[in-house]
């Protein structure tokens, strides 16, 4: 459980730090004007402070849940590894190709995000379509890797490492498919002439962040499976 | 301080909280069935949770019938008994308490208490309820599949959960795991809403340190749930694969019914770690909202500010953080390294510190308060008693050396029922009596409420106190019947019969509650907007019950914390959160200092 605990410790430290900032030197029992109360608040601050869009924070919280999920998979994997019957995984070389494709997808989305900042709609479209194609290619590639493994006689129940491989890759792919749904919504918005740029910028930004995050998780999982 | 300066301070800046675009349903179905209004979703959650909870209540009575009067009832056989035990535990912990506190009270109270129009993602919130309902239906379906529901105990330990001989290994366990997975997916959608709404949608002036403790409790419980439920998710999926496709995540090589199974080398201990990594925070997922709600009930009905507000907030956060490092105290008998056990015993005792702080603060809130002994207050005070009792036995069980002989006896059953079944449910009742007037616009009947309280409160003691003695005698839990066992005294069976009678009385006393809920809806005394003279925002709404959008045309502005009760020199003994200092009667110069202190 070490990995999960490390993740949680970092998260809890962040929560505590945030709370200290919010609560230190605050006297909640003092009735005050709204102006003061708003100022000490930090989230709805005054002046030029731009409030964080709800959906952005929502994605952040969701990514914390996703991290918890994968940290637990990693923990279970490493605990299971200690047992005598553990056989290292046969990694199809195709996984390297898939990883490259996923990196490319992330690059495309970063490109789209940059284009969205300059409000260059044509470039956003190119970036986001490129990202979408790479992502679909990645999922097809993962399915092909499954095929190669099972063709070589490595089924999900053959040994524990295989079980984890199928389970973890499937969970990761499902998260990517969920992302594709959001990406599809952004794409359909891009093709509506009436939609406004801030809306599109936000959509593209969220997609890009999600893709980078899932790429990072994939890299960690892949490294774990390579080294064991 | 001159009046001019006062007015300058009272300057309220233009709204910083964006007005939210509400979805306006046009049909009856859109308003009450596929509703995106958090209040309607809350009621849907509440009714579903209470209905399935009643099923679990009936199951517990059947279990008690068997234990109190063995070999009397033909319709209970050993397999049935295990199924009843399992479903009772699972339903009560997850489908009733978790769903009711977070889905029910969370949905109703968070937007109203923080001064928001609705949850920030109403559509996702709606889906959350429907996925929860689906999870409940799958759970109920598992009772009716061939072989019946699973009888593995609510902990679902492998290998026994999916090995022949355990009831419900055909369809029951599969549907149980599917139902849990659905519940977690549904909860995650709701949980995202609760977190983001608390952080983002608070009205002007509602700083974090002005939030009512109810919101703090629900907020932190949601954080725990979002981080801990993935552990149950992972273990449920892995066990499903073990059961369905024959992987060996948890299943060791073993001989079953004389035949070698195809499983090889899985680790049952891995499941226990994953399960309790969820299971222990789950205790606090249920307890923290109860802590928060009971703080507000005590303060409101004792007409006194909660003692040590900031300490209470910090205690909630500390308990939340610590609850992730105590899980293995459920596994002392799993043969762990003694140093490991020592570590977990220590963390377990440490978590008692913030918990005890909270208890002291509740008692100190009552100290010299102007206590109004109405029904919500009775339940709140009853909670303090029960929680202390259950908490103290927890200190015993948290120590490895005392836990080993008491493990899997009725002492454990008594402990966890006191601390995480009766205590939270007392708060649930208190909270329903407290907020029912806001939800329906009518008061619940006081006499029925008091009858309900006294039978339930005293009755639960009659049930669980004797169980401690049964535990000392070494009576193991989850047994269908005991027969003639040497270590058991002859009177233990009499005690069991007495417990059963008490349990039946308590179960029937809930009829007073249900009748009250139902009849008061039509014939209860009209409540008015603020029957308890409370300070928090939900009591200051334009309409009672609040309409879609909660606050009429303008969101309230908050000037003070939620605990301005019995403020010296104020006209009334409470000042609502949205009353500005200049709206209060201006005190004379001599009294000014007192108020500001």
């Amino acid at each position: 459980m070490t990995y999960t605990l490390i993740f949680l410790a970092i998260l809890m430290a962040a929560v505590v730090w945030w709370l200290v900032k919010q609560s230190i030197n605050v006297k909640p029992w003092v009735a005050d004007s709204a102006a003061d109360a708003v100022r000490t608040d930090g989230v709805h601050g005054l002046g030029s402070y731009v409030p964080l869009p709800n959906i952005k924070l929502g994605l952040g919280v969701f990514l914390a849940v996703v991290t918890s999920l994968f940290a637990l998979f990693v923990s279970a994997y490493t605990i299971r590894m200690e047992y005598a019957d553990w056989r290292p995984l046969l990694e199809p070389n195709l996984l390297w190709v898939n990883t490259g494709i996923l990196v490319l997808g992330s690059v495309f989305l970063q490109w789209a995000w940059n284009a969205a900042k300059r409000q260059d709609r044509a470039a956003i479209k190119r970036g986001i379509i490129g990202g979408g194609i790479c992502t679909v290619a990645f999922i097809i590639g993962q399915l092909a890797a499954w095929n190669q493994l099972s063709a070589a006689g490595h089924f999900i129940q053959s040994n524990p490492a295989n079980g984890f491989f199928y389970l973890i890759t499937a969970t990761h792919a499902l998260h990517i498919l969920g992302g594709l749904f959001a990406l599809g919504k952004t794409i359909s918005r891009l093709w509506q002439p009436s939609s406004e740029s801030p809306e599109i910028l936000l959509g593209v930004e969220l997609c890009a962040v999600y893709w980078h995050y899932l790429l990072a998780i994939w890299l960690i999982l892949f490294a774990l499976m390579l080294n064991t | 301080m001159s009046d001019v300066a006062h007015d300058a301070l009272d300057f309220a800046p233009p709204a910083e909280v964006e007005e939210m675009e509400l979805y306006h349903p046009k049909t009856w179905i859109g308003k009450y069935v596929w509703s995106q209004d958090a209040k309607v979703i809350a009621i849907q959650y509440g009714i579903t949770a209470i209905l399935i909870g009643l099923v679990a209540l009936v199951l517990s009575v059947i279990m008690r019938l068997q234990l109190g009067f063995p070999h009397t009832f033909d319709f209970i056989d050993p397999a049935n008994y295990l199924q009843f035990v399992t479903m009772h535990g699972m339903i009560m912990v997850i489908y009733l308490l978790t769903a009711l506190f977070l889905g029910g009270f969370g949905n109703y109270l968070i937007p109203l208490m923080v001064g928001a129009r609705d949850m920030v993602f109403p559509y996702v919130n709606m889906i959350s309820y429907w996925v929860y309902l689906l999870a409940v239906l799958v759970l109920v379906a598992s009772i009716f599949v061939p072989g019946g529901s699973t009888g593995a105990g609510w902990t679902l330990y492998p290998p026994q959960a999916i090995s022949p001989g355990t009831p419900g290994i055909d369809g029951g366990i599969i549907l149980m795991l599917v139902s849990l997975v659905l519940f977690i997916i549904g909860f995650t959608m709701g949980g995202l809403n609760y977190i983001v709404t608390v952080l983002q949608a608070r009205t002007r002036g509602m700083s974090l340190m002005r939030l009512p403790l109810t919101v703090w409790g629900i907020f932190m419980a949601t954080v725990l749930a979002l981080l801990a439920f993935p552990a149950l998710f992972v273990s449920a999926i892995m066990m499903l694969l073990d059961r369905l496709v024959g992987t060996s995540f948890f299943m060791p090589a073993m001989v079953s019914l004389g035949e070698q199974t195809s499983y090889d080398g899985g680790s049952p201990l891995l499941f226990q770690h994953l399960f309790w990594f969820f299971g222990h925070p789950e205790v606090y997922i249920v307890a923290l909202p109860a802590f928060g709600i009971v703080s507000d009930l005590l303060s409101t009905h004792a007409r006194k500010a909660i003692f040590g507000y900031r300490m209470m907030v910090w205690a909630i956060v500390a308990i939340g953080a610590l609850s992730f490092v105590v899980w293995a105290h459920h596994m002392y008998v799993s043969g762990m390294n003694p140093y490991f056990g020592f570590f977990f015993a220590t963390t377990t005792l440490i978590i008692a510190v913030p918990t005890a702080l909270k208890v002291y603060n509740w008692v100190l809130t009552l100290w010299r308060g102007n206590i109004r002994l109405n029904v919500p207050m009775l339940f709140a005070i009853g909670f303090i008693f029960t929680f202390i009792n259950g908490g103290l036995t927890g200190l015993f069980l948290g120590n490895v050396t005392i836990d080993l002989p008491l493990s899997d006896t009725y002492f454990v059953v008594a402990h966890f029922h006191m601390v995480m079944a009766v205590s939270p449910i007392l708060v649930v009742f208190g909270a329903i009596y407290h907020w029912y007037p806001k939800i329906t616009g009518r008061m619940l009947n006081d006499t029925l409420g008091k009858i309900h309280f006294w039978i339930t409160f005293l009755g639960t003691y009659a049930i669980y106190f004797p169980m401690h003695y049964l535990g000392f005698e070494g009576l193991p839990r989850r047994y269908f019947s005991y027969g003639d066992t040497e270590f058991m005294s002859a009177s233990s069976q009499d005690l069991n019969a007495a417990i059963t009678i008490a349990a039946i009385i308590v179960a029937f006393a809930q009829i007073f509650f249900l009748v009250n809920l139902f009849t008061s809806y039509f014939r209860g005394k009209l409540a008015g907007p603020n029957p308890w003279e409370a300070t928090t925002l939900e009591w200051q709404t334009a309409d009672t019950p609040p309409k879609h959008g909660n606050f009429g045309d303008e969101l309230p502005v908050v000037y003070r914390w939620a605990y301005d009760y019995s403020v010296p020199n104020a006209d009334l003994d409470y000042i609502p959160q949205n009353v500005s200092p200049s709206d209060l009667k201006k005190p004379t110069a001599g009294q000014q200092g007192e108020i500001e202190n």
Side-chain angles (χ1 to χ4, degrees):
Chain A
M1 305 304 273
T2 326
Y3 296 100
T4 312
L5 285 175
I6 291 171
F7 159 67
L8 281 174
I10 294 170
L11 200 69
M12 286 298 169
V15 169
V16 168
W17 174 75
W18 164 79
L19 190 65
V20 168
K21 253 182 43 179
Q22 297 288 333
S23 65
I24 208 105
N25 283 333
V26 177
K27 295 192 177 109
W29 52 88
V30 176
D32 219 332
S33 71
D36 258 17
V38 171
R39 215 173 288 140
T40 54
D41 174 315
V43 178
H44 306 131
L46 292 176
S48 59
Y49 188 85
V50 184
L52 185 70
N54 290 336
I55 186 84
K56 246 190 199 175
L57 184 66
L59 179 70
V61 177
F62 181 68
L63 289 180
V65 178
V66 172
T67 312
S68 178
L69 181 71
F70 282 102
L72 282 156
F73 271 127
V74 171
S75 286
Y77 188 89
T78 47
I79 292 176
R80 188 66 185 76
M81 249 167 59
E82 315 270 310
Y83 287 77
D85 66 326
W86 183 265
R87 305 269 171 286
L89 185 73
L90 175 89
E91 295 99 6
N93 285 330
L94 187 56
L95 288 180
W96 287 99
V97 179
N98 291 349
T99 308
I101 292 174
L102 195 61
V103 171
L104 203 60
S106 228
V107 170
F108 268 119
L109 281 179
Q110 182 61 40
W111 187 29
W113 185 7
N114 292 343
K117 283 186 206 154
R118 337 182 276 271
Q119 307 198 0
D120 177 354
R121 241 187 220 214
I124 306 177
K125 284 181 183 172
R126 279 196 297 274
I128 213 159
I129 294 289
I133 291 172
C134 285
T135 311
V136 173
F138 170 78
I139 291 184
I140 295 171
Q142 294 288 79
L143 282 175
W146 278 23
N147 263 336
Q148 287 186 3
L149 269 180
S150 53
H154 290 267
F155 300 105
I156 185 166
Q157 70 275 35
S158 305
N159 73 50
N162 280 352
F164 273 109
F165 175 78
Y166 283 101
L167 178 59
I168 290 176
T169 49
T171 313
H172 182 256
L174 279 178
H175 279 84
I176 287 194
L177 282 177
L180 273 179
F181 179 73
L183 195 74
K185 271 179 91 173
T186 311
I187 289 176
S188 77
R189 211 177 282 157
L190 259 176
W191 260 262
Q192 284 163 8
S194 63
S195 56
E196 291 171 22
S197 329
E199 202 178 61
I200 288 176
L201 174 61
L202 186 62
V204 174
E205 181 183 349
L206 293 176
C207 286
V209 169
Y210 188 68
W211 254 255
H212 295 339
Y213 206 82
L214 283 186
L215 172 67
I217 286 181
W218 170 250
L219 292 178
I220 292 171
L221 295 174
F222 189 41
L224 179 76
M225 290 187 276
L226 280 182
N227 288 318
T228 47
Chain B
M1 195 187 285
S2 71
D3 280 350
V4 180
H6 216 143
D7 288 339
L9 258 181
D10 277 345
F11 164 73
E16 293 292 321
V17 183
E18 261 180 83
E19 268 295 332
M20 146 171 209
E21 258 181 63
L22 287 174
Y23 169 81
H24 291 290
K26 291 175 189 66
T27 57
W28 186 88
I29 290 182
K31 239 177 173 166
Y32 297 108
V33 183
W34 306 112
S35 175
Q36 302 190 16
D37 182 347
K39 295 188 294 299
V40 180
I41 295 171
I43 293 164
Q44 291 172 330
Y45 256 112
I47 291 176
T48 313
I50 289 174
L51 286 180
I52 193 72
L54 286 175
V55 173
L57 181 75
V58 171
L59 292 177
S60 68
V61 170
I62 301 177
M63 281 150 52
R64 278 317 314 180
L65 283 178
Q66 166 60 30
L67 290 172
F69 309 100
H71 316 300
T72 318
F73 301 96
D74 291 338
F75 64 95
I76 314 170
D77 61 33
N80 276 340
Y81 178 79
L82 290 175
Q83 291 170 325
F84 297 156
V85 173
T86 307
M87 293 305 263
H88 166 78
M90 199 59 112
I91 290 174
M92 288 297 195
V93 173
I94 292 182
Y95 298 87
L96 171 69
L97 285 174
T98 308
L100 190 55
F101 271 126
L102 301 180
F105 289 112
N107 265 317
Y108 203 89
L109 294 175
I110 290 174
L112 276 165
M113 282 187 152
V114 305
R117 297 241 178 253
D118 204 335
M119 289 287 181
V120 290
F121 311 122
Y123 183 76
V124 180
N125 206 22
M126 173 184 79
I127 306 283
S128 159
Y129 168 72
W130 291 102
V131 177
Y132 163 66
L133 182 66
L134 184 64
V136 171
L137 292 177
V138 171
L139 181 83
V140 172
S142 82
I143 300 172
F144 299 103
V145 293
S149 60
T150 179
W154 88 281
T155 51
L156 304 177
Y157 279 180
Q160 134 269 12
I162 52 177
S163 301
T166 308
I169 63 148
D170 300 323
I173 183 73
I174 295 172
L175 289 182
M176 178 80 254
L177 294 169
V178 169
S179 170
L180 286 174
V181 166
L182 286 171
F183 181 91
I184 294 163
I185 292 171
F187 172 76
T188 306
M189 294 189 225
L192 286 176
N193 258 304
Y194 314 151
I195 300 266
V196 180
T197 304
V198 172
L199 291 180
Q200 293 281 82
R202 302 193 309 280
T203 189
R204 268 184 304 153
M206 183 62 91
S207 61
L208 286 166
M209 284 292 129
R210 282 178 176 175
L211 285 175
L213 285 168
T214 299
V215 176
W216 269 112
I218 294 174
F219 175 76
M220 201 61 204
T222 309
V223 172
L224 294 192
L226 284 176
L227 297 173
F229 269 123
L232 183 64
F233 189 85
V234 167
S235 37
I237 297 274
M238 282 160 64
M239 201 196 297
L240 262 181
L241 289 175
D242 276 4
R243 168 67 184 75
L244 290 174
V245 298
T247 51
S248 299
F249 291 115
F250 302 134
M251 296 297 282
M254 60 178 202
V255 176
S256 172
L257 303 179
E259 279 178 41
Q260 184 73 34
T261 60
S262 61
Y263 295 116
D264 189 24
S267 164
L269 259 185
L270 175 59
F271 178 87
Q272 292 194 18
H273 279 296
L274 287 173
F275 181 85
W276 288 114
F277 193 78
F278 145 78
H280 197 83
E282 170 65 27
V283 173
Y284 291 99
I285 291 165
V286 171
L288 289 181
F291 291 171
I293 289 172
V294 90
S295 307
D296 282 352
L297 296 190
L298 289 170
S299 171
T300 304
H301 299 288
R303 318 306 295 164
K304 224 183 119 196
I306 190 80
F307 190 91
Y309 173 83
R310 281 187 302 183
M311 202 197 288
M312 292 299 247
V313 172
W314 274 99
I316 287 177
V317 175
I319 292 171
L322 285 171
S323 72
F324 279 105
V325 285
V326 297
W327 80 90
H329 70 209
H330 296 270
M331 301 162 56
Y332 286 151
V333 291
S334 67
M336 62 169 71
N337 185 324
Y339 289 110
F340 206 52
F342 174 73
F343 171 81
F344 281 100
T346 311
T347 53
T348 304
L349 297 186
I350 290 174
I351 208 170
V353 175
T355 316
L357 276 178
K358 295 190 79 70
V359 173
Y360 287 125
N361 285 356
W362 289 323
V363 176
L364 286 168
T365 303
L366 291 175
W367 175 252
R368 303 187 69 178
N370 179 15
I371 295 175
R372 296 179 178 172
L373 219 49
N374 45 34
V375 181
M377 187 59 154
L378 286 174
F379 276 104
I381 295 174
F383 161 84
I384 300 180
F385 279 93
T386 314
F387 186 72
I388 291 175
N389 269 311
L392 287 178
T393 50
L395 291 181
F396 288 83
L397 292 174
N399 284 290
V400 188
T401 41
I402 310 176
D403 179 73
L404 290 181
L406 289 175
S407 196
D408 262 327
T409 67
Y410 268 84
F411 191 86
V412 178
V413 177
H415 158 69
F416 72 71
H417 274 94
M418 279 298 222
V419 81
M420 80 160 294
V422 179
S423 299
I425 214 77
L426 287 176
V427 177
V428 164
F429 287 137
I432 290 176
Y433 282 97
H434 184 79
W435 277 294
Y436 187 87
K438 181 50 69 177
I439 297 169
T440 63
R442 287 174 189 273
M443 305 293 286
L444 283 166
N445 182 300
D446 208 48
T447 316
L448 284 178
K450 282 185 174 148
I451 297 173
H452 175 222
F453 168 74
W454 284 109
I455 300 181
T456 307
F457 179 64
L458 296 178
T460 47
Y461 273 77
I463 298 170
Y464 297 110
F465 245 39
M467 281 192 194
H468 292 94
Y469 296 101
L470 294 179
F472 282 142
E473 279 214 332
L475 223 68
R477 62 194 274 220
R478 290 177 173 164
Y479 274 35
F480 171 68
S481 73
Y482 294 94
D484 294 322
T485 316
E486 241 176 66
F487 60 84
M488 262 176 64
S489 57
S491 58
S492 65
Q493 187 51 47
D494 300 336
L495 208 50
N496 254 334
I499 293 173
T500 298
I501 291 166
I504 292 171
I505 293 172
V506 171
F508 275 98
Q510 306 315 310
I511 291 175
F512 290 110
F513 173 64
L514 295 175
V515 166
N516 201 353
L517 277 188
F518 191 73
T519 55
S520 297
Y521 184 76
F522 301 103
R523 276 183 281 163
K525 201 172 74 188
L526 284 175
N530 192 357
W532 310 118
E533 304 183 299
T535 57
T536 39
L537 291 179
E538 80 272 24
W539 301 103
Q540 324 303 333
T541 54
D543 309 283
T544 300
K547 294 215 165 69
H548 189 41
N550 291 350
F551 290 104
D553 293 334
E554 247 181 84
L555 286 172
V557 177
V558 168
Y559 297 91
R560 54 187 75 244
W561 69 341
Y563 301 100
D564 268 346
Y565 289 104
S566 307
V567 177
N569 302 318
D571 280 348
L572 298 169
D573 76 341
Y574 69 104
I575 309 174
Q577 285 190 278
N578 57 350
V579 172
S580 76
S582 61
D583 285 348
L584 286 176
K585 208 174 112 191
K586 296 223 161 49
T588 57
Q591 291 163 333
Q592 181 85 43
E594 276 175 45
I595 289 182
E596 299 218 324
N597 291 334

